[in-house]
Amino acid sequence: MEVVAVRRGAVRSVVVAGLLAWGGVAGSVPAAAGAAGPAVGPEADVAYHGRVALARGQVRILLVPQNEGPAALPNTTVRLRLSADLADRQQWSGGCARAGVREVVCETGGLPPHGPGRHLGLVLALREEAPEVVVRIDTWWNGGATDRNHANNEHVVLALDTGDTYAF
């Protein structure tokens, strides 16, 4: 398994595109997100698999994005939300950026149809050590694709401060 860093500046264009698509307000839900209506983009099925570990105030995340749908996607953005505040200083993986006090977004790069994308590895420092952290993983932006199965791209992982690895 090879961990590949994504381009450092590319996440900015994905974040900006996501903000524009969602009316310019970070964290707001697009008007079409839950509304029934005709599909507007290619059919795809973004999924995430990986693991989370917490030890001594550091959350380690290995994430493998995958497209189980029929159409290729040129890029997507995964969002990671933590139940604890992130430290002010972080060593970011390329293509990742802070989106809030407890939130990080990372571009995945291209996702081929019925195949995995590049592996993302992050080590996130917490502001203070915590006995446990909940990590929520979901798709923040998928380029306008229609994804009918959110069960495989929305995860909630509880990691205890033991160094043990929790898979999703």
Side-chain angles (χ1 to χ4, degrees), residues 8-103:
R8 183 171 286 257
V11 75
R12 288 185 209 111
S13 63
V14 173
V15 170
V16 169
L19 289 172
L20 292 174
W22 288 358
V25 180
S28 66
V29 178
V40 291
E43 178 96 23
D45 184 8
V46 177
Y48 303 110
H49 306 284
R51 47 189 195 255
V52 175
L54 172 64
R56 297 179 306 279
Q58 285 190 331
V59 180
R60 295 180 180 272
I61 301 170
L62 176 64
L63 182 92
V64 181
Q66 188 167 319
N67 180 4
E68 297 175 0
L73 295 173
N75 204 355
T76 65
T77 305
V78 61
R79 175 174 57 177
L80 308 165
R81 293 176 288 160
L82 285 71
S83 63
D85 292 352
L86 294 166
D88 292 335
R89 294 184 179 253
Q90 301 285 335
Q91 289 288 339
W92 295 109
S93 295
C96 294
R98 173 176 269 172
V101 175
R102 298 179 173 186
E103 191 171 337

